[in-house]
Amino acid sequence: MPIVELCRKHQRRIDKNMSLSRKIISAAVSAVFVGAGAFGLAGCSKVSDSQSASSSNGGVTTINFVLESNDKPYAYADENGNPAGFDLDVLKAIDDKLDNYSFKYQVQDYDTALVGIKQGKYDALIGAFFETPARAEEYQLSTPYNYYFMNLIVPENSSINSLEDLNGKSVAPIVPTDGRYVAIENWLQRHPDVKIDVPTVSNQETFQNMINEVHDGTYDAVYLSKEQYDGVKDALGYSMKVTDVVDGAGTVILYNKDNGTDLKNDVDTQISALINDGTFSDLSNKWFGQDNYAIAKNLGLLS
């Protein structure tokens, strides 16, 4: 990179830091006048119900991101209760590219985080969420920033190794609002010659029950990730075969529906850039031991 460009980039970061410093000083002064009941700002502090999610000062807009607290390695709370995981590293990489924004992070459980986004308590939520029509109605959705991969769980002696091998066969039932249902239906639309029975249910069974139904022959396979199978395999009392990756789906950031589109558009631009320059591939190798973006390209999920 030319020295002039390095200097310009460095100056932009200085300007951003100076703006943030002015904001923090201003907040601290306000806290003094409020009285002893006021609290200083903290990087992972919770946003009160009466406080608007985003704020702006000196041309820098603070964006409050909430991360899922129990979805390791995607997003989780570390031993000190602070945000951690692949998703946090993704957000930090994006924030580093956006001089007009400053991201703040905190963790919440799944249900609290979703409610907080709908109520405008937070600006955005990240946590390995599939893009689904139902979510598109309730939230603004980013372009995919990562990919979540699916395997087939089948009996050990099964000859099934791919979704094509399931032609004329069945998978264990899936709730239509589940991202897995959307993913497999999208795959079937891309492969119209393959006919797989995908029964639906109103209440999703546990992973263990679904695997039991394949083990006893009720269905031919469970459409599930290896990580999800690994979470219950010790409780099964028998072994199953896990195929190689057969499919996947992009995961997206959820934004408050009532927010403008500037933040989403700016973040989407950086997501594409950071995928193309290999930054996200490096993060994927760090957290998953594999390049999710190369796998997604092989599956036809990423061009």
Side-chain angles (χ1 to χ4, degrees):
M1 182 182 293
I3 292 176
V4 171
E5 180 58 27
L6 284 170
C7 291
R8 288 174 177 168
K9 180 175 178 62
H10 182 63
Q11 185 60 48
R12 288 198 304 269
R13 303 309 298 173
I14 291 174
D15 291 343
K16 179 177 179 181
N17 290 336
M18 290 178 66
S19 296
L20 291 174
S21 297
R22 287 195 296 270
K23 179 171 60 180
I24 293 170
I25 292 170
S26 176
V29 171
S30 297
V32 171
F33 283 100
V34 168
F39 293 89
L41 294 175
C44 296
S45 62
K46 292 187 177 180
V47 183
S48 67
D49 292 335
S50 60
Q51 185 179 8
S52 61
S54 62
S55 59
S56 181
N57 188 287
V60 176
T61 301
T62 298
I63 303 298
N64 287 289
F65 273 91
V66 60
L67 294 82
E68 256 201 274
S69 61
N70 192 27
D71 195 17
K72 193 173 183 178
Y74 299 94
Y76 62 99
D78 66 15
E79 61 274 11
N80 297 315
N82 296 318
F86 170 81
D87 289 346
L88 178 66
D89 281 358
V90 161
L91 292 178
K92 287 182 175 179
I94 295 170
D95 187 28
D96 191 53
K97 295 288 187 179
L98 297 173
D99 294 333
N100 54 329
Y101 295 101
S102 174
F103 293 174
K104 291 178 63 179
Y105 315 102
Q106 61 178 288
V107 289
Q108 285 286 3
D109 65 87
Y110 176 86
D111 291 328
T112 301
L114 285 174
V115 171
I117 290 295
K118 290 180 181 179
Q119 293 178 342
K121 185 176 180 181
Y122 317 113
D123 296 301
L125 166 62
I126 190 169
F129 290 98
F130 284 8
E131 179 179 359
T132 67
R135 284 175 181 154
E137 290 181 1
E138 293 189 277
Y139 311 95
Q140 292 185 58
L141 305 180
S142 74
T143 190
Y145 69 89
N146 187 32
Y147 292 86
Y148 192 91
F149 302 111
M150 306 304 297
N151 308 76
L152 296 175
I153 315 302
V154 296
E156 283 190 305
N157 62 352
S158 173
S159 61
I160 294 171
N161 292 295
S162 67
L163 284 170
E164 286 86 352
D165 292 340
L166 279 174
N167 189 29
K169 301 181 185 299
S170 64
V171 296
I174 308 174
V175 173
T177 55
D178 191 323
R180 293 181 303 124
Y181 183 83
V182 175
I184 196 169
E185 286 295 320
N186 286 342
W187 188 94
L188 288 170
Q189 289 178 13
R190 300 195 304 269
H191 301 81
D193 294 335
V194 179
K195 308 299 181 184
I196 302 174
D197 181 21
V198 186
T200 60
V201 289
S202 57
N203 294 302
Q204 188 63 67
E205 294 183 282
T206 65
F207 295 156
Q208 186 170 343
N209 285 343
M210 287 187 282
I211 295 168
N212 284 338
E213 289 175 333
V214 171
H215 184 258
D216 68 19
T218 304
Y219 303 101
D220 297 293
V222 183
Y223 180 70
L224 208 62
S225 74
K226 179 181 181 298
E227 292 77 12
Q228 290 167 325
Y229 170 75
D230 286 344
V232 299
K233 66 180 181 180
D234 291 340
L236 294 173
Y238 54 84
S239 297
M240 297 286 279
K241 182 175 82 173
V242 181
T243 68
D244 291 336
V245 169
V246 297
D247 191 21
T251 57
V252 297
I253 300 170
L254 310 185
Y255 298 95
N256 180 279
K257 189 77 171 179
D258 296 329
N259 285 356
T261 59
D262 287 351
L263 173 63
K264 168 186 149 43
N265 293 339
D266 290 342
V267 169
D268 280 356
T269 297
Q270 295 308 320
I271 288 173
S272 298
L274 291 164
I275 289 175
N276 291 332
D277 72 9
T279 298
F280 283 3
S281 290
D282 291 341
L283 294 178
S284 177
N285 280 309
K286 169 187 172 181
W287 285 99
F288 308 114
Q290 63 185 24
D291 185 350
N292 285 354
Y293 307 91
I295 297 172
K297 286 181 180 179
N298 290 336
L299 291 170
L301 302 172
L302 177 65
S303 59

